[in-house]
Amino acid sequence: MEIFADFDLTPCNTFAVASRARAFCTVREQADLLQALAYAVEQDLPLLVLGGGSNVLFIDDYPGLVVHMAMPGIERLEQDDNRVLLQVGAGENWHNLVMWCLRKGFYGIENLALIPGTVGAAPIQNIGAYGVELATVFACLTALEANSGEFWTFQRDDCQFGYRDSVFKHGRPGELIITTVTLQLSLAPVPVTDYRTLHEELERRHGDSVPSPQQVADAVIAIRQSKLPDPARLPNCGSFFKNPVIDQATFQTLSARYDRIPVFPVPDQPGQIKIPAAWLLDQAGWKGRRQGAAGVHREQAVVLVNHGGASGAELLALARDMQAAVLDRFGIALEPEVRIVQGSGG
Ligand code: FAD
Ligand code: EPU
């Protein structure tokens, strides 16, 4: 495996932000990963794992080793009449996995179609969309602990999955490198169609009939294509901020001032309500605004976009202004969903 010096990361992040890594390598097998780790120790470099780069914002050059995760493989570990256990290499593309599963008749992740990125990154923020989260189908994962060089298995309960959250988001960056993810999928369709936008789209397409998993995936893909910019045309990282979870009292205060605030339930947190960051930002007038080449998408106020040549610092400055405006107007602190990588590890 080759280790490159002074490597251009611009094509490796979907914000298309210019940044260089002091060192860079692509790992395709376990031996590559161990070699990368040994190199980082020997050279005393911090380490950053990168999948598809669809949830990172580089603020400046990265002063360490970027390990591009490309370990492949889909292995059927067990199968009975009802379910299948699939162990998937961290470097597999998530959307390709969803499509492969549909072709094989393995169900449960069709609502997560078209989410960019790798399988290994999916547990980091417990990817979610249209009523399903990774946690719903997650069985376990294996990860290499950088400090000890040992491999560990994490069962579902070890991962502390929450909304856009897991135990892996809170450690030191580069501490745990996920190498495989095991999913438990169903052999019978289990349509999850109660998410309002999805429900409406399916009703429009198929009336009252129960949709097939392929039809659910097709509807999700169509909704996503109509709402979210394609990073290949307009560089972005999806939602820049998480949707804030607020308490009843804050919600009552907001409701007194605004009609028809879109709300989402928060499972396992009674009395808490999730409201869209996009709605707050839209109300505060951010949709379509620009600060130089850094901008807010004209259809989706929570999506920051790079109109061409914006630096990470410019995008971050825009994000900070948006946070300040929402805090000032609504008293709500927006938290970034995107991982901000700054200087010695971010
Ligand atoms: P990267 O951006 O490469 O990395 C993200 C983080 O995970 C970094 O901190 C990185 O160090 C760490 N990491 C990556 N791989 C590993 C590994 N193997 N081991 C340890 N750490 C690792 N997300 C959703 O949840 N729902 C959506 O609907 C959604 N829609 C999106 C739409 C668009 C247009 C875009 C651009 C993004 C969207 N996202 C969404 C965000 C993004 O797709 C997910 O967060 C995805 O899981 C990121 O995968 P990645 O491989 O690109 O990760
Ligand atoms: N809305 C506005 N203004 C806007 C955009 C949206 O008022 O500019 C309103 C819409 O009318 C709607 C509500 O906000 O009532 C929610 O909008 P949308 O359905 O587009 O979803 P979202 O809350 O913005 C979340 C996730 C997405 C995920 C979709 C579908 C977060 C931070 N974002 O978006 O995930 O795909 O729901 O489940 O939770 C991502 O994480 O990168 C991502 C794209």
Side-chain angles (χ1 to χ4, degrees), residues 75-136:
E75 194 185 339
R76 213 177 296 199
L77 295 183
E78 277 175 43
Q79 184 166 343
D80 62 22
D81 292 344
N82 304 313
R83 42 148 234 163
V84 62
L85 264 189
L86 287 185
Q87 188 180 62
V88 188
E92 289 287 342
N93 175 275
W94 175 264
H95 177 69
N96 290 349
L97 173 70
V98 174
M99 293 296 112
W100 184 90
C101 288
L102 276 171
R103 287 196 296 277
K104 294 283 176 193
F106 302 156
Y107 305 128
I109 50 177
E110 48 280 359
N111 297 48
L112 304 178
L114 215 62
I115 297 182
T118 53
V119 168
I124 305 285
Q125 69 159 2
N126 180 25
I127 55 168
Y130 299 98
V132 172
E133 292 181 336
L134 179 81
T136 326

Side-chain angles (χ1 to χ4, degrees), residues 94 97 108-109 112 115 118-129 131-141 156 159 161-162 164-166 168 178 181-185:
W94 175 264
L97 173 70
I109 50 177
L112 304 178
I115 297 182
T118 53
V119 168
I124 305 285
Q125 69 159 2
N126 180 25
I127 55 168
V132 172
E133 292 181 336
L134 179 81
T136 326
V137 294
F138 179 89
C140 63
L141 62 75
R156 200 172 184 281
C159 298
F161 287 126
R164 296 293 188 274
D165 200 21
S166 76
F168 310 105
I178 295 171
V181 177
T182 301
L183 305 180
Q184 178 172 307
L185 300 173

Side-chain angles (χ1 to χ4, degrees), residues 55 115 125 128-131 163-164 195-197 224 227-228 237-243 262 264 274-280 282-283 287 297-303 337:
N55 217 24
I115 297 182
Q125 69 159 2
Y130 299 98
Y163 162 62
R164 296 293 188 274
Y195 194 94
R196 194 168 53 93
T197 337
R224 295 183 69 94
K227 279 180 180 248
L228 290 164
C237 266
S239 299
F240 192 89
F241 300 105
K242 294 203 235 177
N243 287 340
F264 299 102
K274 191 159 70 179
I275 59 170
W279 182 85
L280 293 166
D282 199 354
Q283 294 294 318
K287 209 148 125 179
H297 187 49
R298 61 171 194 277
E299 315 278 350
Q300 236 294 1
V302 72
V303 176
E337 173 190 301

